[in-house]
Amino acid sequence: MQTKDLLLLKKLMEEGQIQSVIDRCYSLEQVPEAHEYVETGHKIGSVVVTLKK
């Protein structure tokens, strides 16, 4: 993906023309559970794994 593509996505999101759908969030320690959930085929949106410093 190029910078121009990311800028276009940013613009579309800011204008409300597209939006992300987050189904669930998991911590890095919960990656096995996140993977298991995705494999069930029941997710509606994206599954996010959060990282902490």
Side-chain angles (χ1 to χ4, degrees):
M1 192 172 270
Q2 296 182 352
T3 303
K4 66 178 183 171
D5 298 324
L6 293 174
L7 291 173
L8 174 60
L9 285 174
K10 178 181 180 279
K11 177 181 178 275
L12 293 173
M13 290 183 82
E14 289 174 344
E15 294 174 351
Q17 294 185 37
I18 60 171
Q19 62 182 3
S20 62
V21 177
I22 298 174
D23 189 332
R24 295 189 182 183
C25 295
Y26 292 89
S27 68
L28 185 59
E29 294 79 20
Q30 295 175 306
V31 165
E33 291 90 346
H35 189 269
E36 185 177 315
Y37 176 66
V38 169
E39 290 295 315
T40 66
H42 295 292
K43 75 180 194 75
I44 296 170
S46 297
V47 172
V48 175
V49 176
T50 57
L51 306 175
K52 294 183 182 177
K53 291 184 178 183

